[in-house]
């Protein structure tokens, strides 16, 4: 948080840094392995999709794949929108140093306020019955 407020370099948290380029194949493999090893996705499909499958409507496996494909399409669309919005914000902040400083101050102030609120908030005691 201190870095966000007191940094004099003018760098935005959104600013890119020079990194070695990885091949598209390597990036795809990394993403694929990460997603395959992520248990949350399997839990989502096992817990959510069967609720919407109707055995009377036809092939159960085909319905499962169709619902999974719809979920993937929606997820890709939402993630693409987030990526495009974040990219636009990053380009905007890089082109406007005053906005970048304002963004740092606002972010640092909000993080500090959250920290203070968490520090002074006392948990409510449990009611015993």
């Amino acid at each position: 948080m201190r870095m966000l407020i007191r940094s004099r370099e003018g760098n935005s948290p959104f600013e890119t840094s020079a990194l070695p380029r990885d091949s598209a194949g390597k990036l795809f493999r990394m993403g694929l392995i990460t997603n395959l090893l992520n248990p949350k996705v399997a839990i989502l499909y096992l817990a959510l999709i069967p609720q919407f499958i109707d055995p009377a409507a036809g092939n159960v496996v085909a319905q499962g794949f169709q619902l999974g494909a719809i979920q993937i399409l929606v997820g890709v669309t939402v993630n693409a929108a987030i990526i495009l919005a974040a990219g636009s914000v990053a380009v905007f902040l890089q082109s406007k140093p005053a906005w970048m400083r304002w963004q740092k101050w606002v972010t640092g102030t909000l993080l500090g306020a959250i920290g203070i609120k968490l520090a002074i908030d006392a948990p409510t005691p449990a009611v015993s019955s």
Side-chain angles (χ1 to χ4, degrees), residues 23-78:
S23 69
K26 180 179 179 182
L27 294 173
F28 178 79
R29 282 189 306 276
M30 287 170 46
L32 180 66
I33 290 170
T34 300
N35 279 314
L36 289 175
L37 295 176
N38 185 354
K40 292 184 289 187
V41 175
I43 291 170
L44 170 80
Y45 287 128
L46 291 174
L48 185 66
I49 289 183
Q51 300 177 56
F52 300 100
I53 294 178
D54 181 14
N59 189 344
V60 173
V61 174
Q63 288 181 57
F65 279 119
Q66 183 180 15
L67 290 171
I70 291 169
Q71 190 277 326
I72 290 170
L73 180 65
V74 169
V76 166
T77 304
V78 169

Side-chain angles (χ1 to χ4, degrees), residues 92-116:
F92 175 78
L93 289 175
Q94 284 179 343
S95 67
K96 310 267 191 218
W99 278 87
M100 192 181 330
R101 285 190 300 277
W102 177 83
Q103 175 261 332
K104 283 181 177 183
W105 273 97
V106 168
T107 304
T109 303
L110 289 174
L111 288 172
I114 290 169
I116 291 169

